[in-house]
Amino acid sequence: MTAAGTGLAAPRVTPLGRSLLDPQALYFVSYDGLVNNNSFQKNGLFTHRGRQYAAWYSADRGATLARRAPGAAHWSTVTLDHRLKSDDSHNVISMGVSRTDGRLHVVMDAHSDGFCYAKSVAGLLDTAPEWTPGCFGPVRTTLDGLALTPQFTYPQFVSTPEGRLQLSYRAGVSGDGRNALAEYDGSSWTALGEWTSATGTYTSAHGSSTARNMYLHGIEYDGRGRLHAFFTWREQSASVMCGAGGLSNHDTGYVHSTDRGRTWLNDAGAVVGSTGGPLRVAVTGPGLVVDRLGPDHSLMNQESQAVDSAGRPHAIISYVPGRFGRCTTDYVADRTAHGRAFHLRKNACGAWQKTEIPLPLDSSQRTKLLLDRYDNAYAVLPFGRIAAASRASGHTDWTLLYDGAGLNAFGEVVIDETRVHADDVLSFMYQERSTGTTPSPLYVADFALPA
């Protein structure tokens, strides 16, 4: 099936079934989310060299890793020597691959304090058939001796085009933090330094704030070696909001790097920050905002992003549109009642375009984005619903393709950002809704995309 007159395949999803990861995965709700399914859990599910990998906490709080041949029903699991320390849904497990030596790297249990780190033996992800706890080294509280920061949150691994592994993280706390990078070259870790600033004055219609942090929607390289990052700002002072109970997030910004994250440029190509240097990406920096929105609409942080085959960046953002009122006072209730997701992207003419996805969120939570081989866009909304828009339409014909019926998914899902490029399959990990702290099943659902 192709879009009329374009020669491009139209977006579609064909359910391929689901596989059970854990019949009783750890379950508790904090920050309105689950520790096994959070949007900033980059590479909680990924595909590499013909195997798919997943990470989660089991009912006994054990950090669990699994792998399978993509599409196979059976997952082989190992448990690391680590137990989740507290019922905090931000203490997710994130994984990364260093292609230079074939190691799997794992960071877990990190929310505004220390972190726990483990890595596999060399070559485990390339040729080694063995998959046992003995394939992993001890769990440490440093990156092989590199301590980084005592206030560490939101680990996200990303591989450079040369195969080095970078780790993005926040130093500091919500409302007063800085983004930073570390890099693994195949033998050791190096701290590249911080690249954003927490200082400067932001003034809204209601008041001012002098401290904040940048929340990333993601960080990833395109096929040309450019590193892309969308973000929102979270202000420390509630005085910038129209009332208590909302979110002090504002604006969607965008920066990129052409030198592996050492220097940061705005959309126009002007230098606005340097990693480890004196110039930091700051709220007062020029040309950062690509979609302006004040802090009265419960704009969500850490949603999602992707890059198309031409190197053009795309993002999903969500908030309560002004037609439902201009002052949210309970972000969970207001986003659940009136929240909408929007597709923000840079078009072929270099202009930024935003299209509302015409489906209620019915949730306070986030939506994940991916692009197929034809650059059709897919949004995996809360509860595992899938909507899509075609490249042929300019990504304006958003339609619901799958309603999530029968999944009983809690809310957010974790998508496999790599499998779509490997075999044209959309995979996402989700956990069934439960109550209190009663464990519930954790699954991976698969859908064929146009090939």
Side-chain angles (χ1 to χ4, degrees):
M1 179 178 176
T2 60
T6 67
L8 299 173
R12 69 177 185 275
V13 295
T14 304
L16 299 174
R18 65 179 184 175
S19 60
L20 179 66
L21 282 168
D22 191 333
Q24 291 191 313
L26 184 65
Y27 187 98
F28 60 84
V29 180
S30 79
Y31 297 98
D32 204 37
L34 302 181
V35 72
N36 288 330
N37 288 91
N38 247 315
S39 69
F40 43 82
Q41 191 181 353
K42 188 174 178 69
N43 294 333
L45 180 71
F46 75 93
T47 296
H48 178 75
R49 285 185 173 266
R51 293 188 179 99
Q52 190 173 36
Y53 298 81
W56 71 95
Y57 294 103
S58 58
D60 64 358
R61 312 179 76 83
T64 306
L65 309 179
R67 75 177 184 183
R68 67 167 177 171
H74 176 69
W75 292 81
S76 298
T77 63
V78 298
T79 301
L80 300 181
D81 185 20
H82 179 76
R83 296 291 183 271
L84 180 68
K85 62 189 177 186
S86 64
D87 285 355
D88 182 338
S89 66
H90 284 57
N91 288 332
V92 301
I93 303 175
S94 294
M95 298 183 289
V97 179
S98 52
R99 298 198 308 273
T100 55
D101 60 1
R103 294 183 193 267
L104 176 63
H105 300 252
V106 183
V107 172
M108 52 203 159
D109 227 340
H111 186 201
S112 298
D113 52 14
F115 61 89
C116 294
Y117 166 76
K119 70 179 180 183
S120 76
V121 296
L124 179 67
L125 302 195
D126 294 339
T127 59
E130 190 176 8
W131 180 251
T132 67
C135 295
F136 292 85
V139 175
R140 305 176 184 272
T141 55
T142 65
L143 297 178
D144 296 334
L146 182 64
L148 296 180
T149 173
Q151 294 180 313
F152 177 103
T153 314
Y154 304 127
Q156 295 193 34
F157 289 105
V158 60
S159 294
T160 71
E162 300 82 15
R164 297 193 299 270
L165 182 64
Q166 294 180 324
L167 176 62
S168 168
Y169 62 95
R170 184 186 72 193
V173 297
S174 177
D176 189 10
R178 294 89 54 207
N179 288 341
L181 287 172
E183 187 173 87
Y184 177 78
D185 63 4
S187 61
S188 62
W189 283 97
T190 301
L192 301 183
E194 297 175 359
W195 60 275
T196 72
S197 171
T199 61
T201 299
Y202 169 78
T203 302
S204 73
H206 312 291
S208 297
S209 175
T210 57
R212 69 204 46 81
N213 71 275
M214 176 193 286
Y215 276 118
L216 293 175
H217 286 307
I219 185 166
E220 65 186 296
Y221 285 93
D222 64 22
R224 296 162 175 78
R226 176 174 290 196
L227 183 61
H228 301 260
F230 284 92
F231 62 88
T232 60
W233 295 108
R234 163 76 59 84
E235 296 299 322
Q236 184 183 71
S237 175
S239 67
V240 300
M241 298 189 293
C242 59
L247 292 172
S248 61
N249 300 333
H250 62 91
D251 299 324
T252 299
Y254 168 78
V255 289
H256 64 275
S257 174
T258 57
D259 59 2
R260 308 302 187 256
R262 272 65 172 177
T263 304
W264 295 91
L265 314 175
N266 65 14
D267 186 38
V271 176
V272 290
S274 58
T275 300
L279 180 64
R280 306 288 179 86
V281 180
V283 72
T284 54
L288 300 178
V289 176
V290 296
D291 187 71
R292 193 169 298 281
L293 187 72
D296 294 339
H297 298 272
S298 291
L299 174 68
M300 184 49 67
N301 47 284
Q302 297 167 296
E303 202 112 19
S304 58
Q305 66 173 51
V307 184
D308 67 24
S309 61
R312 292 187 288 264
H314 298 237
I316 295 290
I317 63 175
S318 65
Y319 57 88
V320 177
R323 66 179 182 272
F324 297 111
R326 298 188 176 276
C327 180
T328 58
T329 56
D330 182 330
Y331 85 88
V332 173
D334 291 336
R335 284 177 55 85
T336 301
H338 302 300
R340 297 293 188 275
F342 297 80
H343 178 213
L344 178 66
R345 75 279 185 198
K346 196 170 188 179
N347 65 24
C349 298
W352 291 94
Q353 290 184 223
K354 184 171 71 172
T355 301
E356 181 174 338
I357 299 174
L359 299 166
L361 287 180
D362 294 327
S363 169
S364 66
Q365 296 190 295
R366 304 167 177 96
T367 295
K368 302 300 293 183
L369 173 68
L370 61 82
L371 305 173
D372 68 16
R373 65 167 60 228
Y374 301 99
D375 289 334
N376 299 312
Y378 298 79
V380 187
L381 295 138
F383 317 119
R385 297 169 293 164
I386 304 173
S390 67
R391 173 187 168 188
S393 73
H395 300 106
T396 59
D397 57 351
W398 282 96
T399 305
L400 183 67
L401 299 183
Y402 178 74
D403 65 4
L407 297 183
N408 192 28
F410 170 83
E412 289 182 9
V413 305
V414 172
I415 66 171
D416 186 332
E417 299 177 1
T418 51
R419 189 174 178 191
V420 64
H421 304 297
D423 59 9
D424 302 300
V425 172
L426 188 168
S427 268
F428 64 76
M429 182 168 66
Y430 73 93
Q431 190 161 355
E432 285 192 1
R433 184 180 297 275
S434 186
T435 57
T437 58
T438 302
S440 67
L442 183 72
Y443 291 96
V444 172
D446 297 328
F447 302 82
L449 302 179

